[in-house]
């Protein structure tokens, strides 16, 4: 049986030669993402802002403005209304009642759902969730803490496992991936809410990115010891090309599963899946063009100390072409 190869054997792509263009693109996209998050903001879900989140189904896709006008006329507070993948299903977010007890919340939900059923014949209530302000503040703190500790732990691991240049380049690439994800949700704030599912997606993206980067970093360090007289640019190009089939195959197979989830998973998983798809694409790009090439800028050099005997010494004598047969 013939194996499917998405990347030909012995590729020799010059990734490092494009590093200045890649750095420029990365910086531009990062600044755009920061600007979007700062000025446009994120559409924080009920998990983080508190309130009552209702889900209402309609026979035909209603006008969001008409639904908002009707809910506002009930005097229950300012409503935030969104449609998801199914235009017949609307998410209605309302402030919690002053008393904040479950009975008052049930009365609020019944009042809104009954009124919409009269105004829009055939409209049915699906479910609702409530989060208090204290819980939402705690969730924000813990979500930011979880992401921050994940990045810190990764930085410490790469510094101990490799050298400080690898740690810095990895953190820069992960921060880039994180900024791209936040910028996307700021740009698409009318379509996606940032909730705990998105925090889980961000942590998953970080885990995937570090996995890909560690594989490339390990190959770079291995080749630095094998080819001590080779230029650092050539070592990085060789290492990335050697791991490229694994990187592409892993990314494609994960994307196939995520696309299926995006199409069939419903609006509950839509934000999580969209974040994951973006993270896989951006993470693959940053592993190849940001993290690896940044090692040159940080002054990483191959170990000049010779090692007598064994594979290392024989590989240097016979040259790169023969040595690759040992892989």
């Amino acid at each position: 049986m013939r194996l499917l190869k998405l990347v030909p054997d012995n590729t020799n792509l010059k990734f490092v030669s494009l590093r200045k263009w890649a750095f420029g693109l990365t910086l531009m996209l990062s600044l755009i993402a920061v600007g979007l998050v700062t000025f446009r903001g994120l559409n924080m879900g009920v998990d983080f802002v508190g309130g009552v989140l209702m889900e209402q189904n309609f026979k035909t896709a209603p006008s969001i403005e008409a639904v908002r006008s009707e809910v506002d006329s009930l005097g229950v507070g300012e409503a935030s209304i969104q449609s998801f993948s199914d235009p017949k299903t609307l998410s209605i977010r309302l402030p919690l009642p002053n008393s904040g007890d479950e009975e008052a919340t049930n009365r609020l939900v019944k009042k809104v759902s009954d009124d919409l059923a009269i105004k829009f014949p055939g409209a049915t209530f699906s479910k609702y969730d409530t989060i208090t302000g204290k819980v939402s503040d705690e969730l924000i703190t813990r979500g930011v803490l979880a992401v921050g500790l994940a990045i810190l732990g990764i930085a410490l691991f790469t510094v101990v496992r490799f050298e400080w240049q690898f740690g810095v380049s990895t953190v820069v690439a992960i921060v880039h991936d994180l900024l791209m994800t936040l910028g996307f949700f700021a740009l698409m704030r009318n379509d996606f809410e940032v909730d705990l599912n998105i925090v889980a997606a961000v942590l998953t993206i970080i885990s995937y990115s570090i996995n890909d980067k560690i594989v490339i970093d390990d190959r770079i360090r291995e080749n630095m010891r094998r080819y001590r007289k080779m230029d650092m640019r050539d070592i990085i190009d060789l290492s990335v090309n050697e791991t490229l089939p694994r990187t592409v195959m892993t990314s494609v197979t994960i994307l196939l599963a995520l696309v299926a989830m995006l199409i069939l998973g419903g609006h509950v998983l839509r934000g999580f899946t969209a974040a994951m798809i973006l993270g896989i694409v951006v993470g693959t790009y940053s592993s190849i063009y940001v993290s690896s090439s940044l090692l040159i800028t940080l002054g990483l050099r191959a170990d000049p100390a010779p090692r007598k005997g064994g594979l290392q010494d024989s590989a240097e004598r016979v040259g790169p072409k023969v040595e690759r047969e040992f892989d």
Side-chain angles (χ1 to χ4, degrees):
M1 181 177 178
R2 188 174 181 179
L3 297 177
L4 174 64
K5 293 184 177 181
L6 298 179
V7 178
D9 292 330
N10 300 319
T11 56
N12 189 29
L13 302 176
K14 301 299 183 181
F15 296 104
V16 175
S17 64
L18 299 175
R19 70 189 182 98
K20 292 184 179 179
W21 290 96
F23 289 167
L25 177 63
T26 300
L27 178 61
M28 181 184 70
L29 291 177
S30 298
L31 292 176
I32 292 174
V34 172
L36 286 170
V37 174
T38 302
F39 297 105
R40 187 174 173 83
L42 298 171
N43 182 14
M44 307 300 287
V46 67
D47 291 336
F48 296 123
V49 298
V52 180
L53 184 65
M54 296 176 52
E55 187 176 288
Q56 195 83 8
N57 298 322
F58 298 82
K59 276 193 171 182
T60 58
S63 167
I64 292 181
E65 290 303 322
V67 175
R68 179 179 290 109
S69 176
E70 182 63 26
V71 175
D72 288 343
S73 68
L74 299 176
V76 293
E78 184 179 355
S80 174
I81 302 176
Q82 281 185 294
S83 64
F84 295 99
S85 55
D86 183 2
K88 297 179 183 179
T89 301
L90 294 183
S91 169
I92 305 172
R93 190 171 66 206
L94 297 167
L96 280 170
N98 293 331
S99 59
D101 57 29
E102 185 176 354
E103 185 178 348
T105 302
N106 289 334
R107 288 198 301 268
L108 169 66
V109 171
K110 187 175 187 307
K111 179 179 181 180
V112 174
S113 60
D114 290 347
D115 182 80
L116 291 177
I118 296 173
K119 184 67 176 181
F120 302 90
T124 57
F125 165 73
S126 297
K127 62 178 182 179
Y128 78 90
D129 294 312
T130 60
I131 298 290
T132 65
K134 181 178 180 180
V135 173
S136 62
D137 290 341
E138 186 176 330
L139 290 175
I140 292 176
T141 302
R142 292 190 176 186
V144 172
L145 181 63
V147 175
L149 289 177
I151 296 176
L152 177 62
I154 289 168
L156 293 176
F157 171 79
T158 49
V159 169
V160 173
R161 180 69 173 83
F162 302 104
E163 297 180 35
W164 70 267
Q165 290 96 335
F166 289 97
V168 172
S169 65
T170 298
V171 170
V172 169
I174 290 177
V175 170
H176 163 264
D177 299 347
L178 180 59
L179 286 176
M180 293 301 100
T181 304
L182 294 178
F184 169 77
F185 280 100
L187 179 65
M188 306 294 292
R189 60 166 294 143
N190 293 330
D191 298 309
F192 296 102
E193 286 187 342
V194 177
D195 53 18
L196 288 178
N197 287 334
I198 304 304
V199 175
V202 168
L203 292 173
T204 307
I205 290 169
I206 291 175
S207 300
Y208 173 83
S209 296
I210 187 59
N211 176 66
D212 200 28
K213 291 170 178 58
I214 288 296
V215 169
I216 296 177
D217 287 349
D218 196 53
R219 183 55 62 93
I220 290 173
R221 190 180 66 165
E222 182 180 341
N223 286 333
M224 286 170 58
R225 294 173 176 175
R226 289 178 175 175
Y227 311 124
R228 289 183 292 273
K229 296 181 180 180
M230 186 183 291
D231 185 77
M232 197 64 207
R233 297 169 180 258
D234 296 329
I235 289 178
I236 291 177
D237 278 336
L238 173 63
S239 302
V240 175
N241 277 285
E242 287 177 341
T243 57
L244 191 60
R246 180 255 182 208
T247 299
V248 173
M249 183 62 74
T250 302
S251 298
V252 170
T253 51
I254 294 176
L255 284 174
L256 289 175
L258 290 173
V259 170
M261 287 178 60
L262 183 65
I263 297 173
L264 304 174
H267 75 269
V268 175
L269 295 176
R270 188 163 169 255
F272 173 86
T273 309
M276 285 296 301
I277 291 175
L278 176 68
I280 297 300
V281 175
V282 172
T284 302
Y285 160 79
S286 64
S287 297
I288 295 174
Y289 286 105
V290 179
S291 177
S292 301
S293 297
L294 190 59
L295 295 173
I296 298 176
T297 305
L298 295 173
L300 183 65
R301 297 289 182 268
D303 183 8
R307 299 188 177 208
K308 302 296 183 181
L311 177 61
Q312 305 286 348
D313 195 52
S314 62
E316 186 172 312
R317 290 197 302 270
V318 300
K321 183 176 180 181
V322 176
E323 196 279 335
R324 288 190 67 173
E325 294 179 1
F326 292 112
D327 289 345

